[in-house]
Amino acid sequence: MRKFILIIPLLFILTGCYNYRELNDLAIISGVSISMEDEEYKVTLEIVNPKKQQSSDNTSEPDFIIYSASDESIQKAFREVIKESPKKAYGAQMDVLIIDESVANDGINKILDFLARDPEVRSEFYVLISTDNEVLQVTTPLDNISSQNILDSLKSNNTYLGISNLVTYHDLIDNYLNNNIELALPSIEVIGNEKEGESTQNTEKTETDASAILSNIAVFKDNKLLGYLTEDESLVYNFVMGNVKTTLIKNEYDNDEFVINEIINTETKLESIPEDNKVTINISGKASISEANYKCDLNESDVIEKIEKDLNKEIEEMISEGISSIIAKYNSDIFGFADLYYKTDPKYYNDIKNDWYNKYFKNINIEVNSNINIFEKGNLNGGLFQ
């Protein structure tokens, strides 16, 4: 009798998930683009085509389907998609969110608020700024899904070039809520013929009519887009933030001679003396000589020491000049120097924070110390010039 009494409450508890839905009833979102047209939000959804994914035949059906809708409200724009799509859009598997600069120019607060309220949206998708609101429509030959191609390109660029930065929605929210650091997001643009790039025939050519390519880092202040860094400035930003995994640095010499060094395993440590308005950037890592158009004997230790010294000098000058250029153009603390001051000496920072941009940030003293060691010279130890 006692066992029977204990079982009865369990029947009400073990009733399954209350919000359970059939997967066949959902349209899986792989990418989202949000732009502004005629004072309305235009939401573009890239939906994975389930019929194509389930079929092993090389059918003519597209791998993804694009749905768009507009409204003064972001939420209503998403719901308006139902008029075209027979299934409810589901964002838990989203890979990328692309915010058009037409929205970012006026601030991204409303977008962040909308996404933060949606319990179905995970926080590990990546966020980019776009100069073109049709970027998701461009078909690609190497990846069937446009958003997957963007994600793969973003990760490859960050790993091998050090130009783009990786920002998940979780990272974006953390930085947004931190008043001592401004936002910096990767950007993407479409080159070529957009209309031709939207056709599936774009994937059938050895040279595509249009491509979505990653561009330089977008700079924000007060959550509004100010502009874009140059390629060199984007690399400087990633060096300072410790985001560089691999990149190439060129040492130039007389008579058009040069050495290309591949930098790997870099680490960046920031130190500050708030009272002196000073930040020290210490960079360490390793390098290998990947190309040497330089008439010298790479077997000689003094030659390697010279190349190494020139390499570190090049990095130090590049970072110092890059930071000065970014501050002069944008006066935006994307590096988080204010946050560094706050963590080093919160009392002092609270005394100066109201004058941070007018007095301290634009006059900050930057010291860069680079300690990159050359550890290999490739298969040709002495070089072909020997």
Side-chain angles (χ1 to χ4, degrees):
M1 183 65 180
R2 291 180 180 177
K3 292 182 180 180
F4 181 74
I5 294 174
L6 291 173
I7 290 174
I8 292 177
L10 291 176
L11 296 177
F12 295 95
I13 298 174
L14 303 176
T15 56
C17 297
Y18 74 95
N19 60 348
Y20 169 79
R21 280 172 290 179
E22 287 285 349
L23 188 61
N24 291 335
D25 296 332
L26 302 175
I28 306 300
I29 300 174
S30 55
V32 174
S33 173
I34 302 177
S35 59
M36 185 72 74
E37 291 185 2
D38 300 326
E39 298 184 356
E40 288 188 337
Y41 288 101
K42 179 182 178 181
V43 173
T44 300
L45 306 183
E46 181 188 64
I47 304 295
V48 177
N49 185 354
K51 293 172 63 177
K52 179 71 173 182
Q53 304 303 315
Q54 294 169 6
S55 174
S56 59
D57 298 331
N58 187 19
T59 63
S60 59
E61 290 189 9
D63 291 279
F64 61 89
I65 303 166
I66 295 293
Y67 293 115
S68 297
S70 299
D71 196 273
E72 294 179 356
S73 161
I74 302 174
Q75 174 66 71
K76 287 185 177 180
F78 268 90
R79 288 293 175 91
E80 286 291 311
V81 172
I82 294 178
K83 292 181 179 179
E84 291 188 63
S85 171
K87 301 180 181 181
K88 183 181 183 300
Y90 183 63
Q93 302 298 318
M94 184 166 62
D95 289 322
V96 295
L97 167 66
I98 299 173
I99 303 174
D100 188 75
E101 60 181 13
S102 60
V103 176
N105 287 332
D106 293 326
I108 59 174
N109 309 52
K110 293 181 180 179
I111 293 177
L112 297 182
D113 179 83
F114 164 72
L115 292 172
R117 294 177 186 277
D118 192 336
E120 291 184 347
V121 176
R122 62 174 184 169
S123 62
E124 295 307 311
F125 59 87
Y126 291 86
V127 184
L128 302 92
I129 299 298
S130 173
T131 59
D132 193 302
N133 62 3
E134 306 294 331
V135 65
L136 281 178
Q137 284 91 321
V138 176
T139 58
T140 59
L142 296 182
D143 279 304
N144 295 335
I145 308 298
S146 178
S147 58
Q148 185 61 51
N149 177 73
I150 294 171
L151 180 57
D152 291 344
S153 298
L154 183 63
K155 291 181 177 179
S156 294
N157 185 299
N158 176 261
T159 301
Y160 299 110
L161 294 178
I163 305 302
S164 293
N165 56 330
L166 296 176
V167 181
T168 64
Y169 176 68
H170 179 81
D171 299 329
L172 179 59
I173 287 295
D174 282 348
N175 289 339
Y176 173 79
L177 296 176
N178 188 341
N179 293 325
N180 297 328
I181 186 170
E182 298 292 349
L183 302 180
L185 295 174
S187 69
I188 191 168
E189 61 180 335
V190 176
I191 61 171
N193 189 319
E194 287 183 25
K195 296 302 178 183
E196 294 293 333
E198 295 175 14
S199 169
T200 55
Q201 295 178 352
N202 195 48
T203 64
E204 300 171 358
K205 301 177 181 179
T206 56
E207 185 175 354
T208 57
D209 293 310
S211 300
I213 65 168
L214 291 170
S215 190
N216 301 318
I217 292 175
V219 179
F220 285 72
K221 189 172 183 179
D222 297 328
N223 305 310
K224 295 181 179 181
L225 177 65
L226 294 183
Y228 301 90
L229 302 182
T230 65
E231 185 172 308
D232 287 343
E233 289 170 347
S234 297
L235 180 59
V236 166
Y237 170 80
N238 280 327
F239 259 120
V240 175
M241 303 305 290
N243 296 333
V244 174
K245 298 178 178 66
T246 305
T247 193
L248 300 175
I249 302 294
K250 182 179 182 181
N251 293 352
E252 295 186 2
Y253 298 98
D254 295 333
N255 302 318
D256 295 325
E257 295 179 5
F258 61 86
V259 173
I260 302 294
N261 299 282
E262 183 176 15
I263 314 297
I264 62 172
N265 299 333
T266 62
E267 291 185 4
T268 302
K269 293 184 179 180
L270 302 182
E271 300 175 353
S272 68
I273 306 176
E275 293 83 356
D276 296 337
N277 197 27
K278 180 179 180 180
V279 171
T280 302
I281 302 169
N282 299 307
I283 296 172
S284 61
K286 295 182 179 181
S288 64
I289 297 175
S290 60
E291 185 177 352
N293 181 20
Y294 189 35
K295 293 182 176 63
C296 63
D297 187 355
L298 297 181
N299 286 317
E300 297 293 334
S301 60
D302 59 335
V303 173
I304 297 300
E305 289 176 3
K306 172 177 172 50
I307 295 175
E308 189 175 273
K309 181 179 178 181
D310 294 340
L311 169 62
N312 285 299
K313 181 181 179 182
E314 177 68 25
I315 292 174
E316 291 171 354
E317 291 179 351
M318 178 185 68
I319 293 176
S320 296
E321 293 172 2
I323 293 174
S324 297
S325 175
I326 293 169
I327 291 176
K329 285 192 290 187
Y330 300 109
N331 196 32
S332 175
D333 190 5
I334 57 176
F335 304 103
F337 291 151
D339 195 49
L340 180 64
Y341 276 25
Y342 172 74
K343 292 176 180 177
T344 303
D345 191 340
K347 184 178 183 303
Y348 178 80
Y349 175 72
N350 286 328
D351 291 337
I352 69 168
K353 65 180 181 179
N354 292 332
D355 295 321
W356 174 247
Y357 280 115
N358 294 329
K359 182 178 179 181
Y360 294 91
F361 182 62
K362 62 175 58 177
N363 296 311
I364 198 167
N365 300 311
I366 301 295
E367 177 183 325
V368 183
N369 300 313
S370 177
N371 184 26
I372 304 294
N373 299 311
I374 295 177
F375 74 102
E376 69 174 15
K377 298 170 287 185
N379 290 332
L380 293 172
N381 288 330
L384 283 178
F385 286 108
Q386 296 304 307

